[in-house]
Amino acid sequence: METELLNETASQNELAEAGQAQEKAMPAYEDVRKALLTNRANTLALLACLRETLEERPFREAEAAAAHSEAMGLTMQSPHALYGILMKCGAVESIEVPEGDTDFVAANETAKASVQAEAAESADLPDQPVDYLLRTTDLGRSALEEFEPTKRFAELIAGEPVEYRSAYDTVLSLCEKGASKSAIEAALAGHEALSNPKQIYPGYFISKLETVDGISWNGEWRTTEAGRRMRALLA
């Protein structure tokens, strides 16, 4: 009887340990947040990748689309590497394509030709498989919701002095048609936000707005579509 009880207890422990191991192996939302925030230079580019795969699509097509995002100017990683990060944390899943799927083959060949054309003068394409699709998971969609630009901006200004709101509006307004750093500095010269409640520099507002995708750099600072929505929060 005692032996049976010991065996039953051991079996229950094994099941519990197996369950814990499986739980640890399954991606969790915290894994996604960590991937997005570990290197802030990658954050906006990773989010751009997630948006490109809200509907499943061939991986080459997704990478080619992500490569055109202005957020790629902030990161040292390629779209292929970024999608690798997202798949590892569970924000994106790969879907094997059934053999003989002609729609996939056609879409993949189109994307492949586009990528090859762009890479022809810079570097050779790595030898990559062509038999899978990418799709943003529910965890990835949750991240897009949490890191939505205007939501992040609202959280930002909620924790800052009220004087900063006018400074952000000045920068967003000026950058509608494009502006240099020196032009932004000139526009903010003498602004109350630079000295009250403490001394800061115009670069603070540039950096903060870039971080939440309010402005982006492309030879000059320009207000993004998200940045226009941010201005509405400052009205």
Side-chain angles (χ1 to χ4, degrees):
M1 182 67 176
E2 184 177 350
T3 301
E4 291 178 357
L5 288 173
L6 288 173
N7 289 337
E8 183 179 352
T9 301
S11 179
Q12 290 175 344
N13 289 338
E14 288 174 359
L15 287 173
E17 290 174 1
Q20 291 172 358
Q22 184 178 12
E23 185 177 346
K24 289 181 179 179
M26 292 178 63
Y29 184 61
E30 193 55 38
D31 297 326
V32 177
R33 293 191 82 258
K34 183 178 180 180
L36 289 171
L37 297 173
T38 294
N39 184 342
R40 293 185 182 274
N42 294 339
T43 302
L44 293 181
L46 288 167
L47 292 169
C49 287
L50 287 174
R51 295 187 191 100
E52 294 296 343
T53 50
L54 288 172
E55 300 293 335
E56 63 185 46
R57 63 197 303 188
F59 86 93
R60 285 188 186 274
E61 182 181 308
E63 291 177 11
H68 289 90
S69 169
E70 291 185 350
M72 291 302 299
L74 302 173
T75 178
M76 298 296 290
Q77 301 292 335
S78 67
H80 188 70
L82 292 170
Y83 273 117
I85 293 171
L86 291 170
M87 284 190 281
K88 184 177 181 180
C89 71
V92 167
E93 62 181 339
S94 62
I95 305 168
E96 186 176 351
V97 179
E99 188 174 349
D101 188 329
T102 56
D103 290 339
F104 168 76
V105 172
N108 183 72
E109 287 303 313
T110 299
K112 180 179 178 181
S114 174
V115 175
Q116 286 177 326
E118 292 183 7
E121 297 181 1
S122 58
D124 294 329
L125 277 173
D127 183 16
Q128 298 171 322
V130 296
D131 58 349
Y132 66 92
L133 307 173
L134 295 178
R135 180 172 61 195
T136 300
T137 64
D138 288 342
L139 291 177
R141 290 172 182 271
S142 294
L144 285 174
E145 182 178 346
E146 178 184 350
F147 287 82
E148 194 279 320
T150 52
K151 183 176 181 179
R152 295 180 72 194
F153 184 62
E155 293 170 351
L156 170 66
I157 60 177
E160 292 186 327
V162 67
E163 292 81 7
Y164 287 15
R165 297 170 65 93
S166 175
Y168 282 123
D169 188 64
T170 296
V171 177
L172 289 169
S173 175
L174 183 66
C175 293
E176 281 283 356
K177 296 182 178 180
S180 63
K181 180 181 178 182
S182 59
I184 295 174
E185 291 173 339
L188 289 177
H191 196 289
E192 182 183 14
L194 300 183
S195 57
N196 184 27
K198 63 180 180 180
Q199 183 177 2
I200 59 172
Y201 297 93
Y204 173 89
F205 299 102
I206 296 174
S207 176
K208 289 294 185 179
L209 285 171
E210 181 185 30
T211 298
V212 296
D213 198 23
I215 59 175
S216 63
W217 175 259
N218 187 14
E220 59 185 354
W221 291 108
R222 282 193 172 274
T223 301
T224 64
E225 180 59 39
R228 296 185 183 95
R229 297 196 299 272
M230 292 173 193
R231 285 199 72 193
L233 298 180
L234 298 169

